[in-house]
Amino acid sequence: MDGILLLREACNRDPFSQACACVSLPAPHRYSTGLHEPLTGQRHIIRHEVRELILLAGPVVGMQLGQISNGFIDVLMVGRLGPNALAGVALGNATLFFFLLVCLGIVIAVSPMVSQAFGAGERASIGNTVQQGLWLGVILTVPLVIVLWNIAPIWRLLQQDEATVVLGEQYLRAVLWGFLPFLWFIALRSFVEAVSRPWPITFIVFIGVGLNILANSALMYGKWGFPELGLVGCGWATTIVFWFIFLVLAAYVALQPRFREFALVSRFRWPDTGLLRELWWLGLPIGVSYGIEVALFAGTAFLVGTLGPTPLAAHQVAIQCASVTFMVPMGIGIATSVRVGHAVGRGDTDAAAWAGRLGMVLSALFMLCAATVFWIMPRSIVGLYLDLGDVTNAETAAVAVSLLGIAAVFQFFDGVQVSAAGALRGLKDTRVPMVLCFVSYWVLGFPTSVYLGYGLGWGAQGFWWGFVLGLAAASLLLSVRFARQVRQAGGSRVSPTPEPNAYS
């Protein structure tokens, strides 16, 4: 236990090089699978790491797609209520998910802590880490729900359309009741992923997608005897889904025999200020990094909102499409973080390096394919959200098509940056990446958006070109950071400990 605490302290000072100094680093020609004799040669290392990364990333990507499917379904079903309702969802979601993702990033610190402890074979601290993650969710929820409940005056100060503000407030107040269970779900999800057993989460999330469709139909449109609540019904449906996925995952963790050694249920822990502080300082830069990126998109939504409800509705359609494809590299980034964390925990520097590099390559390849689809068939994609035969949607559809063309450009950079961030997170390197994200998005990206959108009069399209610059800078800086950290770890090396058997 003292060794793990020393490792964490060292990682906070110099994330990769000192972490590797605390654990035993491998000889470059040896790589242990944990199931066979150590493999020899770089080709074997790459082959093994590709296989393990894909096996872990597959269900994680499926889970991410399942989660974003709820947003896709919401926008799809709300779109039938008209552009004003769609603009209200856009405003509410832009605000909600900024704060939600910041808190998610903080709670997700459970993942690298559990991953490195699991890789090192240290089981004693894992259960306490997870329970403190649950307490952290409570601490974060209370003040933020109070703030978001009273957010409408701030929207008005930002010159948002009054009808959009009213609808957005109604939607937001309904969905806020699901804030806490979502963070609890993230804490448990981070634990389950960190011990390499993600498939059950994928199943739970997809069941939640089906529930979301039923709940939206019942509460938005008043089917099966339920009241017709319109946009507000969409918010309540989301809250129901958040509670459902948390409760089912909690039941699975409690009943799964293989998790009993972590004493997640059998032993109750009160808040531990020391461990909470450690989670906070590790997770805060992750949350801020998420927030910095999401704030770029949310800030752009506010800029587009000043142009009226039609461009804002188009922005919501296009950003929802980009968000769906982003879930794949985001899932790969989560898997990359776990694989890197396992490797660092057992002292396998070569595996950590290759896990990070391969995660970036896989994400880039997928996003190139997604960009091609956006480029060649944008109207067909927009037609999933809007009735293209309705003349009242013609202007919204035209703007959305143009924004998808720009999204095709930034897809590649978005994939690389999220995987590079995941790789660095696996090293517990979170503070410098936070600064790099800030420079990319707010020193370069957002000012460019303002200049192109307002200064040159490009409107919504100009705002979106700022995305391209910000994401391109982030992908370059984060990938260079990871390469630098790997090079610094190339000094003293000894044989690694065997890789622990994963729960897969």
Side-chain angles (χ1 to χ4, degrees), residues 368-411:
L368 285 174
C369 296
T372 302
V373 174
F374 279 14
W375 189 262
I376 65 177
M377 51 187 302
R379 283 191 62 82
S380 298
I381 296 172
V382 171
L384 297 173
Y385 297 87
L386 299 170
D387 182 1
L388 299 181
D390 188 342
V391 294
T392 62
N393 292 328
E395 184 180 357
T396 302
V399 177
V401 166
S402 67
L403 296 182
L404 278 183
I406 302 172
V409 178
F410 72 63
Q411 290 283 285

Side-chain angles (χ1 to χ4, degrees), residues 84-276:
N84 287 335
L86 196 57
V89 168
L91 185 60
N93 275 337
T95 304
L96 171 70
F97 285 101
F98 167 73
F99 290 99
L100 195 63
L101 284 175
V102 170
C103 293
L104 178 153
I106 296 172
V107 173
I108 213 172
V110 169
S111 180
M113 290 183 65
V114 172
S115 294
Q116 290 198 12
F118 185 76
E122 296 285 345
R123 303 294 200 267
S125 64
I126 290 178
N128 191 28
T129 298
V130 177
Q131 287 197 9
Q132 298 309 310
L134 298 174
W135 281 114
L136 188 58
V138 176
I139 294 170
L140 293 170
T141 296
V142 174
L144 288 177
V145 166
I146 294 173
V147 171
L148 292 174
W149 194 270
N150 301 282
I151 199 71
I154 298 177
W155 287 344
R156 293 186 178 96
L157 287 176
L158 295 173
Q159 302 179 14
Q160 300 302 298
D161 180 76
E162 181 60 27
T164 303
V165 168
V166 172
L167 290 172
E169 182 182 44
Q170 293 172 350
Y171 167 80
L172 186 60
R173 287 187 172 183
V175 78
L176 277 177
W177 293 99
F179 199 102
L180 179 60
F182 182 78
L183 293 184
W184 280 346
F185 171 78
I186 293 300
L188 294 180
R189 191 194 85 176
S190 299
F191 157 69
V192 175
E193 288 170 350
V195 296
S196 300
R197 194 170 175 82
W199 275 113
I201 310 177
T202 306
F203 296 139
I204 292 170
V205 167
F206 273 99
I207 294 172
V209 172
L211 176 62
N212 190 44
I213 295 173
L214 294 175
N216 273 340
S217 298
L219 299 176
M220 286 175 60
Y221 305 138
K223 292 186 177 181
W224 309 304
F226 286 89
E228 184 177 349
L229 301 177
L231 184 63
V232 178
C234 178
W236 283 114
T238 300
T239 290
I240 291 170
V241 171
F242 284 169
W243 275 104
F244 172 82
I245 60 176
F246 161 67
L247 291 173
V248 174
L249 181 57
Y252 167 75
V253 170
L255 298 175
Q256 175 56 251
R258 292 183 179 181
F259 294 152
R260 288 176 185 168
E261 64 174 310
F262 304 113
L264 290 171
V265 178
S266 61
R267 182 182 174 189
F268 176 81
R269 287 97 164 177
W270 289 104
D272 180 334
T273 56
L275 190 50
L276 281 172

Side-chain angles (χ1 to χ4, degrees), residues 9 47 79 131 137 200 231 277 326 381 383 388 395 411 434 458 473 486 504:
E9 181 183 354
R47 185 182 305 161
Q131 287 197 9
L231 184 63
R277 188 181 301 112
F326 176 71
I381 296 172
L388 299 181
E395 184 180 357
Q411 290 283 285
M434 174 185 67
W458 290 9
V486 169
S504 57

